[in-house]
Amino acid sequence: MARTILIAGATGNTGRSVVETLPSLLASSNTLSDHRVIALTRSLDGPVAQAFAKLPDVEVIEQSWVEITADWLRKHEVVRAFIASHNDPNQFAEESTFHQAALKAGVEYVVRISTTAPNVRPDSNAYYPRSHWAIEALLGSEEYSTLKWTSLQPNAFSQFYFSSALEFIKKFRETGKQDTLGLMAAKDAPVGIIDPADVGVFAAHLLAQDDVSVHNKAKYVMNGPEDITGEQLVGMVEQQIGTRVENVSYKDMSFLDSYLEFRFAGTQDSKNVVSSIKHALEVVWEGKCSASTTSKEVLELAAPKRTPADVWKDMLEG
């Protein structure tokens, strides 16, 4: 069995481009050309998983990453890994278990997805960035010194940022009437929103490095190549509907209400904890997440390419 690079969360919004990008990078590597890629999926029947199965040197396995053990990693000869965790309240418990298994199995290097950099601190108002901070603190401890790692801290994902605007356009075209345009964006704050595919491409380049020591313990801030403000987004909507938007609600997080109601149904999760997700964009509104904050290493190795206009165009045509 060949030495393996594991992609956990392979069919997710960042993992997909890792799988699509990595094999060709490995093929041209001086030291990793004999390595294979394992892409984990919850269902082999899904269209993305089936597309992966056609890629050269990629094996698709139906396996929940939260159940992976050190023995499983040894069996599959995993030496490097990518993980994009969920943001549920038990994130720390489950992701730290994955890293502990990687440590015990002798995995050499892990690339993980964190969240918006200014939020990753122990006093964040939103709960899940505190979990990311705790994971980075765990990996940075002396006990984990033999496991090299890099944490990627991406800005808000473009498709998520645009979702309410696209829904507004859809309803207007169907009815000819306007509701209030609710945007999670602030009116004037410049934000370097990023396509998750660009995050995955950068992660793949890290995983394909012959020597990862220069990236060990690094926390890389990732933004898209251009900023966008809420006011600019309103202009993009008006261009599509051919008239002025009558009412705009900036910094609008009301779309989370239905999600939170669904999220609490049948669970024992704390409402106080989960509802704190509404604070996650405060650092964005404060102007702390512009494209200018991108780490220089990101720009040098695999700079994000997809502009807000690129993503907007694809979403309109999708």
Side-chain angles (χ1 to χ4, degrees):
M1 185 180 296
R3 286 157 66 87
T4 299
I5 300 179
L6 176 69
I7 313 301
T11 58
N13 52 14
T14 56
R16 180 170 183 171
S17 59
V18 179
V19 178
E20 293 170 341
T21 306
L22 186 56
S24 61
L25 296 176
L26 296 178
S28 60
S29 169
N30 293 325
T31 60
L32 304 172
S33 59
D34 61 343
H35 287 48
R36 64 174 183 153
V37 175
I38 286 182
L40 296 188
T41 180
R42 286 176 290 184
S43 173
L44 292 172
D45 297 327
V48 176
Q50 291 181 353
F52 285 166
K54 299 176 183 178
L55 296 175
D57 301 315
V58 174
E59 180 181 0
V60 185
I61 295 179
E62 191 171 274
Q63 167 72 46
S64 172
W65 67 262
V66 302
E67 302 300 336
I68 283 177
T69 64
D71 286 342
W72 190 97
L73 293 169
R74 292 190 197 99
K75 176 184 175 182
H76 292 86
E77 297 189 36
V78 175
V79 293
R80 296 185 180 186
F82 167 86
I83 180 169
S85 183
H86 55 74
N87 65 355
D88 289 341
N90 63 341
Q91 176 200 338
F92 178 82
E94 293 191 333
E95 188 180 342
S96 65
T97 297
F98 176 89
H99 294 304
Q100 194 264 355
L103 176 70
K104 298 301 181 183
V107 173
E108 298 167 3
Y109 180 53
V110 172
V111 176
R112 66 176 299 272
I113 301 296
S114 180
T115 190
T116 311
N119 266 339
V120 185
R121 60 180 196 265
D123 64 339
S124 175
N125 289 329
Y127 76 89
Y128 69 90
R130 298 196 298 268
S131 294
H132 284 294
W133 174 86
I135 289 290
E136 292 175 353
L138 175 144
L139 291 171
S141 68
E142 178 63 28
E143 290 81 356
Y144 278 77
S145 60
T146 59
L147 175 62
K148 296 181 176 66
W149 59 278
T150 304
S151 193
L152 308 186
Q153 299 177 333
N155 205 336
F157 290 152
S158 305
Q159 291 83 348
F160 179 58
Y161 211 70
F162 286 156
S163 58
S164 63
L166 268 293
E167 185 63 23
F168 179 90
I169 293 170
K170 179 182 176 181
K171 288 184 177 180
F172 178 83
R173 288 174 174 171
E174 290 174 350
T175 66
K177 299 179 181 179
Q178 293 191 29
D179 295 323
T180 297
L181 173 58
L183 299 177
M184 63 184 76
K187 181 178 181 179
D188 299 319
V191 185
I193 57 175
I194 187 167
D195 187 329
D198 279 338
V199 179
V201 169
F202 179 69
H205 277 77
L206 288 174
L207 291 166
Q209 294 297 294
D210 292 326
D211 180 9
V212 299
S213 59
V214 67
H215 302 291
N216 185 31
K217 299 183 180 180
K219 304 168 188 177
Y220 291 143
V221 179
M222 297 195 68
N223 303 286
E226 295 179 6
D227 289 325
I228 187 171
T229 66
E231 191 170 36
Q232 288 173 316
L233 181 51
V234 172
M236 293 159 68
V237 172
E238 290 177 338
Q239 186 177 32
Q240 291 300 314
I241 65 174
T243 188
R244 179 177 173 273
V245 174
E246 296 169 359
N247 296 294
V248 182
S249 175
Y250 293 106
K251 301 182 183 180
D252 191 332
M253 302 295 283
S254 61
F255 69 94
L256 282 173
D257 293 338
S258 58
Y259 162 77
L260 293 172
E261 183 178 351
F262 170 79
R263 184 67 185 78
F264 295 135
T267 74
Q268 296 182 340
D269 290 334
S270 163
K271 183 176 181 180
N272 184 42
V273 171
V274 181
S275 62
S276 71
I277 197 172
K278 290 188 173 184
H279 296 287
L281 286 180
E282 290 171 353
V283 293
V284 175
W285 300 335
E286 293 166 1
K288 296 179 179 178
C289 301
S290 67
S292 64
T293 63
T294 301
S295 297
K296 65 179 179 61
E297 293 86 353
V298 175
L299 300 176
E300 292 168 353
L301 188 58
K305 298 178 179 178
R306 300 263 293 163
T307 66
D310 292 332
V311 177
W312 180 252
K313 180 175 182 292
D314 286 349
M315 293 181 73
L316 287 169
E317 294 175 352

